[in-house]
């Protein structure tokens, strides 16, 4: 049967057809939907949201050693978290097939950087595969498991935002009944002591030579000869772009098996074309290796090294061709991302925005938007968990320099489980003069409402113990752990003042569910402006709620957007905002 599927959906289908039994991930755009779609096959595949990418990778590695085909999936920065186990497992080798999926994000649509994770394959010395459409996502995953088991290697399966989220036709196959690999204790293979790792490294180097030999005849790499005056080596989504621009006016070497590169095949292709180009997104990963092999080619001299490629860019830089465009006859209003109407984080950030002598170190999640106008209540955002640990470092720097004022470190509930607990321990253990705050909205919000260890459900929908953030902080040893509704501005302000003055360890948990969680009851009341009382002071605009704006010179609340959180009502000094619908 033929189906219209995104790349992520097709990867999940490919894992099912490949006989995968265990899958683990931490949600992160653009990879999230892989595991969300894996649940469709829960009669055959056990799937879980792990607390972080390192845990997900280790779970999948354990399953592989135990004899079950497995995968771990994550966005590109997640591989930074998972690098520790993956570098070692690349040395050790697999039992059953193991695939690690990295979903890179050129142009940083939902990310803090646009690192090119192809270098991880080279750095960790493992095989790499790159599909260019949804059908290949499904088919190449199946080939990845065959390669993994034949060559005793983890396989890095690299996709990008466009491949993950674009949809194309996919033809289904049947699930392969893969027998479980028998497990037997093998200390020299699976116990990574220095003595064992030294021998493993020798095997890894031999394996890379075998993999390169295989790559030269791999069905994932193919030459397409047309007009031989132009030859283009490419991979992934870039292949679709160059085909759209050049059609039959160029020849192509399309690489799906991209590490180790098939140098003999590349050399043969280069000898059959007049001018050789390498077209790849982001870094010159292939180009550098091709030039190092003494093969003349043109790459980043023309192709941009930053942001996503598209057909228009390629046409411009390679053919000096531009497409006619017509300007819109409307002024499109900029719409930067903002906290949703009724977001529980708004009350906290509004409170912090009024504090002039405090620093708020932030983190990755919905609450990153606390740094946006008009709240502008975040000082830093680096990576998951750094809301606590960067804050710890800043507090020590301020203590040494004599700077007054406390540092407040912020993470969300899912981030607390991901990498916040160790930071909370560090603050307490090393006597940091700062306050860790967990913004608990009862869900993993930014990536689209996935379950986490605090929500009481698993990825597969089964009931689970709710891991209590408050009890964890108490168990670590915090003397005071205050729980507060962040939309109660008076209570929020009082807790912050108390924390500023506290001499002993003090932690805060703001607790209010995300308004977009499915199944929550509809609000009984909403907020509305009494326009006769409105003094045009614009204080209500400072909470940054998209439902509030000025209309005909006075404040107005769009009822279709309001959820009745009442933060604006508490901010208005003239009682111009009240409840409606009681």
């Amino acid at each position: 049967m033929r189906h219209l599927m995104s790349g992520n959906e097709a990867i999940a289908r490919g894992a099912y057809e490949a006989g995968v039994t265990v899958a683990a991930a931490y949600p992160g755009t653009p990879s999230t939907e892989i595991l969300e779609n894996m649940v469709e096959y829960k009669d055959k595949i056990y799937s879980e949201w792990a607390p972080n990418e390192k845990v997900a990778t280790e779970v999948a590695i354990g399953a592989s050693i135990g004899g079950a085909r497995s995968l771990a999936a994550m966005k590109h920065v997640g591989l930074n978290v998972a690098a520790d186990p993956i570098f070692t497992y690349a040395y050790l080798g697999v039992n059953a097939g193991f695939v690690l999926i990295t979903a890179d994000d050129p142009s940083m649509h939902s990310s803090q950087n646009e690192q090119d994770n192809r270098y991880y394959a080279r750095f960790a010395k493992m095989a790499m595969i790159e599909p260019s459409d949804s059908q290949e996502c499904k088919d190449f995953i199946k080939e990845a498991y065959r390669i993994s088991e034949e060559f005793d290697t983890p396989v890095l399966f690299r996709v990008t935002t466009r491949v993950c989220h674009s949809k194309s036709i996919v033809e289904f196959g049947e699930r392969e009944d893969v027998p479980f690999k028998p497990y037997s204790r093998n200390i020299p293979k699976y116990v990574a002591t220095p003595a064992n790792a030294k021998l493993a490294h020798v095997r890894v180097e031999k394996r890379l030579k075998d993999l390169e030999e295989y790559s030269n005849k791999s069905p994932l790499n193919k030459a397409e000869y047309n007009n031989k005056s132009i030859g283009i080596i490419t991979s992934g989504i870039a292949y679709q772009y160059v085909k759209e621009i050049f059609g039959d006016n160029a020849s192509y070497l399309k690489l799906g098996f991209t590490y180790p590169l098939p140098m003999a095949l590349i050399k043969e292709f280069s000898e059959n074309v007049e001018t050789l180009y390498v077209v790849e997104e982001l870094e010159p990963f292939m180009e550098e290796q091709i030039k190092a092999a003494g093969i003349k080619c043109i790459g980043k001299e023309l192709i941009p090294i930053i942001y996503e490629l598209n057909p228009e860019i390629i046409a411009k830089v390679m053919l000096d061709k531009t497409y006619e465009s017509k300007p819109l006859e409307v002024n499109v209003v900029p719409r930067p991302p903002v906290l949703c109407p009724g977001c529980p984080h708004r009350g906290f950030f509004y409170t912090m925005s009024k504090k002039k002598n405090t620093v708020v170190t932030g983190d990755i999640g919905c609450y990153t938007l606390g740094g946006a106008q008009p709240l502008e209540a975040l000082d830093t955002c680096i990576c998951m968990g750094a809301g606590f640990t960067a804050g710890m470092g800043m507090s020590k720097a301020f203590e040494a320099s004599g700077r007054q004022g406390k540092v407040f470190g912020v993470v969300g509930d899912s981030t607390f489980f991901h990498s916040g607990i160790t930071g909370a321990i560090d603050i307490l253990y090393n006597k940091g003069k700062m306050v860790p705050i967990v913004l608990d909205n009862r869900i993993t919000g930014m990536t689209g409402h996935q379950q986490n260890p605090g929500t009481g459900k698993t990825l597969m929908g089964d009931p689970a113990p709710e891991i209590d953030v408050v009890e964890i902080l108490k168990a670590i040893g915090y003397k005071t752990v205050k729980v507060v509704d962040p939309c109660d501005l008076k209570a929020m302000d009082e807790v912050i003042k108390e924390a500023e003055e506290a001499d002993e360890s003090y932690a805060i948990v703001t607790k209010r569910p995300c308004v977009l969680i499915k199944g929550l009851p509809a609000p009984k009341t909403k907020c509305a402006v009494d326009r006769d009382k409105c003094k045009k002071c614009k204080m209500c605009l400072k909470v940054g709620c998209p439902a509030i704006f000025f209309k005909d010179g006075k404040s107005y609340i769009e009822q279709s957007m309001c959820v009745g959180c009442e933060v604006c009502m508490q901010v208005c000094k003239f009682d111009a905002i009240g409840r409606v619908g009681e």
Side-chain angles (χ1 to χ4, degrees):
M1 295 179 64
R2 291 160 63 84
H3 302 260
L4 185 64
M5 305 185 85
S6 70
N8 283 343
E9 291 170 322
I11 289 170
R13 178 67 194 188
Y16 166 77
E17 292 184 12
V20 168
T21 303
V22 175
Y26 183 81
T29 305
S31 70
T32 306
E33 298 83 7
I34 297 170
L35 264 285
E36 288 182 332
N37 281 279
M38 209 75 77
V39 178
E40 304 236 348
Y41 312 106
K42 63 181 180 180
D43 58 327
K44 297 291 186 181
I45 303 175
Y46 164 78
S47 302
E48 69 168 49
W49 289 130
N52 64 31
E53 296 87 355
K54 180 177 184 289
V55 173
T57 301
E58 290 163 347
V59 167
I61 286 172
S64 167
I65 294 172
R69 284 188 170 182
S70 65
L71 69 78
M74 59 205 65
K75 68 182 295 172
H76 61 301
V77 288
L79 188 45
N80 301 333
V81 180
D84 193 3
I86 199 63
F87 271 68
T88 298
Y89 201 44
Y91 262 38
L92 303 182
V94 305
N95 184 18
F98 169 79
V99 173
L100 188 143
I101 299 166
T102 173
D104 291 8
D105 191 19
S107 282
M108 300 166 282
H109 297 284
S110 302
S111 308
Q112 64 268 45
N113 68 38
E114 56 177 348
Q115 69 190 45
D116 189 332
N117 275 5
R118 292 179 296 172
Y119 286 95
Y120 266 111
R122 193 175 182 187
F123 196 10
K125 300 178 182 290
M126 59 182 176
M128 180 168 62
I129 289 174
E130 293 185 73
S132 64
D133 60 26
S134 297
Q135 182 70 55
E136 289 186 353
C137 282
K138 184 191 81 78
D139 294 342
F140 284 17
I141 273 281
K142 296 164 74 172
E143 178 69 5
Y145 282 98
R146 194 189 68 76
I147 291 169
S148 176
E149 291 174 353
E150 179 179 341
F151 292 94
D152 193 21
T153 180
V155 175
L156 187 66
F157 196 86
R158 193 246 189 178
V159 286
T160 58
T161 301
R162 292 299 158 198
V163 175
C164 290
H165 292 162
S166 297
K167 294 201 172 190
S168 58
I169 297 296
V170 176
E171 188 168 344
F172 282 10
E174 296 299 321
R175 179 173 170 87
E176 184 181 349
D177 289 324
V178 180
F180 288 94
K181 298 270 186 177
Y183 170 74
S184 59
R185 177 179 288 180
N186 189 339
I187 290 174
K189 179 173 172 67
Y190 294 122
V191 180
T193 60
N196 291 336
K198 284 180 180 179
L199 298 175
H201 193 183
V202 175
R203 294 195 298 270
V204 167
E205 297 302 332
K206 181 181 183 305
R207 177 213 297 158
L208 286 175
K209 289 183 171 59
D210 294 340
L211 282 167
E212 181 177 348
E213 185 179 338
Y214 166 78
S215 72
N216 285 299
K217 54 181 182 292
S218 169
L220 306 185
N221 298 329
K222 59 179 181 180
E224 302 173 13
Y225 286 106
N226 302 300
N227 184 336
K228 293 185 178 181
S229 62
I230 295 174
I232 300 173
I233 299 174
T234 188
S235 65
I237 197 65
Y239 168 74
Q240 307 291 356
Y241 299 154
V242 295
K243 284 280 284 189
E244 183 174 331
I245 294 302
F246 288 93
D248 292 338
N249 294 318
S251 294
Y252 309 94
L253 180 56
K254 179 189 180 298
L255 301 180
F257 190 105
T258 50
Y259 193 77
L261 285 175
M263 281 303 179
L265 185 62
I266 290 170
K267 188 172 188 301
E268 178 187 332
F269 181 77
S270 71
E271 292 170 348
N272 281 285
V273 297
E274 293 178 24
T275 305
L276 182 65
Y277 296 89
V278 179
V279 179
E280 55 188 327
E281 252 179 355
L282 299 182
E283 301 296 323
F285 175 78
M286 296 189 294
E287 178 189 341
E288 286 175 338
Q289 296 177 71
I290 292 168
K291 286 181 174 177
I295 300 171
K296 186 177 179 182
C297 62
I298 300 168
K300 292 305 173 185
E301 299 96 321
L302 293 177
I303 307 300
I305 200 169
I306 60 173
Y307 310 143
E308 278 190 304
L309 291 180
N310 61 45
E312 187 175 348
I313 290 172
I314 291 170
K316 174 62 179 173
V317 299
M318 295 185 72
L319 298 175
D320 197 26
K321 178 181 177 182
T322 57
Y323 292 89
E324 181 183 357
S325 61
K326 294 183 179 180
L328 291 172
E329 296 185 4
V330 295
N331 292 321
V332 179
V333 178
R335 297 184 64 190
V338 294
L339 295 171
C340 300
C343 176
H345 304 327
R346 178 169 282 106
F348 166 76
F349 283 117
Y350 177 76
T351 301
M352 299 311 296
S353 70
K354 298 188 297 176
K355 304 290 181 181
K356 301 305 179 186
N357 198 33
T358 59
V359 167
V360 181
T361 51
D363 219 291
I364 308 297
C366 297
Y367 42 89
T368 308
L369 299 172
Q373 294 179 329
L375 296 166
E376 296 183 309
L378 274 189
D379 290 74
T380 66
C381 176
I382 302 166
C383 63
M384 305 255 318
F388 284 0
T389 45
M392 174 63 172
M394 289 184 75
S395 71
K396 289 297 182 182
F398 295 161
E399 188 178 347
S401 66
R403 186 188 190 277
Q404 299 300 306
K406 276 211 171 159
V407 175
F408 291 81
V410 176
V411 304
D413 51 326
S414 184
T415 305
F416 179 73
F417 298 121
H418 179 286
S419 48
I421 296 173
T422 48
I425 291 171
D426 184 61
I427 293 164
L428 189 70
Y429 174 60
N430 289 301
K431 301 178 181 178
K433 293 184 178 180
M434 65 165 293
V435 180
I437 303 176
V438 181
L439 305 184
D440 186 355
N441 65 353
R442 314 307 299 149
I443 203 72
T444 309
M446 180 65 88
T447 49
H449 295 96
Q450 291 77 34
Q451 305 299 332
N452 67 54
T455 64
K457 284 187 178 180
T458 68
L459 168 62
M460 299 175 75
D462 298 327
E466 288 189 32
I467 312 300
D468 193 316
V469 173
V470 175
E471 292 303 316
I472 290 176
L473 289 167
K474 288 179 179 178
I476 289 169
Y478 281 87
K479 299 296 184 185
T480 302
V481 182
K482 282 294 179 77
V483 180
V484 62
D485 179 350
C487 289
D488 183 340
L489 296 187
K490 182 179 178 183
M492 190 75 252
D493 189 57
E494 288 174 353
V495 168
I496 295 297
K497 286 180 179 176
E498 189 177 295
E500 286 179 307
E501 296 167 0
D503 292 324
E504 61 181 15
S505 58
Y506 196 110
I508 299 171
V509 178
T510 69
K511 189 169 286 192
R512 189 180 178 101
C514 171
V515 295
L516 299 179
I517 294 176
K518 291 179 181 178
L520 286 181
K524 294 181 179 178
T525 62
K526 297 188 176 187
C527 297
V529 179
D530 183 336
R531 293 170 68 79
D532 292 331
K533 291 183 179 180
C534 179
K535 304 297 183 183
K536 309 178 186 179
C537 69
K538 298 187 177 180
M539 279 297 295
C540 57
L541 298 184
K542 292 186 178 181
V543 303
C545 178
I548 307 172
F549 50 93
F550 261 42
K551 182 178 181 181
D552 300 326
K554 290 192 175 183
S555 180
Y556 177 81
I557 297 176
E558 174 55 51
Q559 293 299 290
S560 65
M561 298 174 70
C562 179
V563 297
C565 72
E566 300 186 359
V567 169
C568 60
M569 197 167 84
Q570 298 169 71
V571 167
C572 181
K573 297 178 180 180
F574 304 102
D575 295 325
I577 300 177
R579 300 184 188 91
V580 293
E582 292 181 277

